[in-house]
Amino acid sequence: MTEQSNKLRQLHKLSALVLLVFITMHLGNHLSGWFGIDAYNQVQKAFRVVYRFPPIEILLLCLLGVQIVLGATLLFKSLRRGRPRGFWSWAQVLSGGVFLFFIVQHLWAFYVARAAYQLETDFFWASSVMGGAPFIWYFIPYYFLAVFSVLTHVGTGVRYWVIDAGHEKVANQVGIGFMLAGALIGAAIILVLTGALYDIPLKPEMLEYLRDFYPEYTPPTN
Ligand code: HEM
């Protein structure tokens, strides 16, 4: 591995550590939906004090932009070196690729919802695409894979750390632990957003927003 790739990898790990603070808050916010819509929106309001504080929001979005570019560069360099070898290399490359695919769309959708539609990006926005077909066919795997891929990708990084620290025996268990956590948290968030736990009203402004993408959309009646 070249000196340059090593530097990129170090930078990638460093910004991942900072971003993990936001990701933990963000996934925690979605899980708080198990206690109801008000609980979700109250938790979001509390967390926004931190990540919507303009200097922090700018830092967060810039750091995520840098992480996307670093990740794409490392992905490209790794594939140019040849096919990944073994389970963990495939897990790292595939989870990185899937997360890249998700986060670019997610940030764009977030920007369009706020800037073009002036929508409140709270629980009702996140759940608006989880109410019925055809949106659910895309957004259930999209949101599930978002959580599964980010925790799998972090898990493969932590696994290398555990190996470097000389604990090879537990390294695979640590990696598998992150993947299982990703699958469980992903499934738990999907149950919240699809209304499996309680009925979720679709606000008129969200229906209008969805019909801009699919004019024939008719939300299922309860
Ligand atoms: C199930 C998965 C996810 C759902 C349902 C979801 C939903 C949301 C919602 C509702 C917002 C608006 C927040 C607000 O207005 O305060 C948001 C913003 C955002 N999400 Fe996610 N998200 C998911 C996964 C992720 C992941 C894995 C990341 C990883 C970095 C991420 C990064 C962001 C960022 C950076 C913002 C912008 C925050 C801001 O500037 O206010 N999201 N997402």
Side-chain angles (χ1 to χ4, degrees), residues 36-201:
I37 299 175
D38 285 348
Y40 180 105
N41 288 339
Q42 287 307 319
V43 170
Q44 189 185 63
K45 205 164 154 219
F47 285 173
R48 277 179 175 175
V49 172
V50 179
Y51 69 76
R52 282 290 185 88
F53 175 55
I56 292 185
E57 185 167 27
I58 293 164
L59 174 74
L60 169 67
L61 297 175
C62 290
L63 206 56
L64 207 48
V66 168
Q67 192 69 340
I68 289 170
V69 173
L70 285 174
T73 312
L74 286 166
L75 188 65
F76 178 71
K77 280 177 174 282
S78 133
L79 293 175
R80 219 173 48 183
R81 280 196 303 274
R83 282 163 61 88
R85 292 178 191 286
F87 175 80
W88 292 109
S89 305
W90 274 110
Q92 189 169 48
V93 166
L94 288 176
S95 62
V98 169
F99 183 68
L100 203 56
F101 179 73
F102 162 78
I103 197 66
V104 171
Q105 287 180 78
H106 187 49
L107 293 178
W108 177 248
F110 171 70
Y111 168 73
V112 169
R114 277 179 69 185
Y117 290 86
Q118 280 86 49
L119 288 175
E120 173 54 275
T121 51
D122 61 5
F123 181 90
F124 295 106
W125 175 66
S127 61
S128 64
V129 289
M130 303 289 269
F135 293 103
I136 49 169
W137 303 131
Y138 185 82
F139 283 95
I140 288 182
Y142 167 86
Y143 276 144
F144 176 79
L145 287 172
V147 181
F148 182 62
S149 65
V150 76
L151 287 179
T152 297
H153 198 66
V154 170
T156 57
V158 173
R159 177 182 168 273
Y160 286 122
W161 255 337
V162 173
I163 290 173
D164 293 348
H167 307 292
E168 275 187 46
K169 282 212 176 65
V170 293
N172 287 354
Q173 286 144 0
V174 169
I176 297 290
F178 271 85
M179 292 178 79
L180 285 177
L184 285 174
I185 294 171
I189 294 173
I190 297 297
L191 288 175
V192 168
L193 297 177
T194 50
L197 307 177
Y198 44 78
D199 289 344
I200 302 174

